[in-house]
Amino acid sequence: MKNYDIERILKPAFKLFLTYNYEAVTTTKLEEETGLTRGAIFFKHKTKEALFKAVIDNYIISFQSGSSRIQAESLKEFIELFLNGVEMRMKELQQLGITNLSRGYFNLLYQAVQYYPSFSDIITDIFNNTINEWESIISKAKESGEIKPTCDVHSTALKFRYSYSGMSFEYSFNKRLDINKLRELFDKYYEEIKN
């Protein structure tokens, strides 16, 4: 198919899967959201399941994997880059016109566990890598003297990581993550451990 643009299908499909449960995303809804025929929609990904998997690969796995490769010289810089990445992602998702981003995102993760074979293992590995990355930068900060030598690397990594995921989850019930409150909390954690 000439000038085939997969983003023209994946982005609207992502919006639909964020908004509705997997079962409720029909071919008719996909046609309405993309403005394309079912033949064009299923040209590359032949089934709804294959399209769903492509959406998860492109918008969840790729993003989550990418967020665990932050290059920073200090823990302070790492925190700033991490928060900037979260804020940028939230702005990208807002452009889709989703009312409650956090709720849609968590719902999509739960659906992926159900409809994407091996997603649980993939996302668990990504989450573990993220904790390892936090531990690595905290260890370097400890070695360089940026933070106190008494700082426990593992528990500090968990504190940062789970504060983010916990706040994201709780805010999903009525609005979206308040990045400013998360930033204040991370700044407070940093001030407690800096040398």
Side-chain angles (χ1 to χ4, degrees):
M1 186 178 277
K2 193 176 178 181
N3 299 325
Y4 185 75
D5 180 11
I6 192 65
E7 272 300 302
R8 196 164 163 214
I9 297 162
L10 290 182
K11 200 169 201 173
F14 177 50
K15 178 181 178 181
L16 286 172
F17 287 123
L18 278 170
T19 306
Y20 303 100
N21 287 333
Y22 175 86
E23 299 87 1
V25 177
T26 62
T27 301
T28 302
K29 282 183 180 161
L30 286 164
E31 288 173 326
E32 289 169 1
E33 192 68 34
T34 63
L36 299 170
T37 65
R38 85 182 49 212
I41 292 167
F42 296 110
F43 177 73
K44 183 170 181 179
H45 304 289
K46 304 297 183 199
T47 64
K48 182 170 86 169
E49 184 180 346
L51 181 61
F52 180 76
K53 187 176 181 299
V55 164
I56 297 300
D57 287 342
N58 198 48
Y59 293 101
I60 304 293
I61 294 173
S62 177
F63 169 73
Q64 292 289 343
S65 297
S67 68
S68 68
R69 290 192 291 268
I70 298 171
Q71 299 296 315
E73 296 297 316
S74 67
L75 176 58
K76 182 73 171 163
E77 182 186 8
F78 181 89
I79 291 168
E80 192 59 33
L81 292 171
F82 177 84
L83 292 170
N84 288 345
V86 170
E87 187 171 29
M88 187 175 75
R89 178 64 168 178
M90 287 173 60
K91 286 179 182 175
E92 287 172 12
L93 293 176
Q94 283 174 327
Q95 292 174 357
L96 293 174
I98 305 296
T99 309
N100 188 319
L101 298 173
S102 296
R103 183 180 305 153
Y105 198 80
F106 278 107
N107 187 40
L108 188 56
L109 290 176
Y110 291 126
Q111 289 181 73
V113 168
Q114 188 173 1
Y115 295 105
Y116 185 127
S118 76
F119 179 77
S120 290
D121 294 334
I122 294 167
I123 202 71
T124 298
D125 286 345
I126 291 170
F127 290 159
N128 287 336
N129 289 339
T130 304
I131 291 170
N132 292 339
E133 188 177 29
W134 276 102
E135 287 178 339
S136 176
I137 194 68
I138 291 165
S139 288
K140 288 177 187 170
K142 191 172 173 178
E143 290 166 13
S144 73
E146 179 187 359
I147 61 175
K148 295 174 183 170
T150 55
C151 179
D152 181 272
V153 171
H154 182 67
S155 63
T156 303
L158 294 179
K159 191 175 188 178
F160 279 105
R161 173 64 190 157
Y162 292 141
S163 292
Y164 162 61
S165 57
M167 282 181 73
S168 296
F169 182 74
E170 284 197 15
Y171 274 93
S172 74
F173 289 98
N174 60 8
K175 45 188 166 185
R176 66 178 186 274
L177 174 66
D178 185 332
I179 193 69
N180 293 323
K181 286 189 178 176
L182 182 63
R183 193 177 300 278
E184 286 172 17
L185 187 60
F186 275 22
D187 287 346
K188 185 175 188 300
Y189 290 163
Y190 181 78
E191 288 301 316
E192 289 171 358
I193 61 172
K194 83 173 184 179
N195 217 353

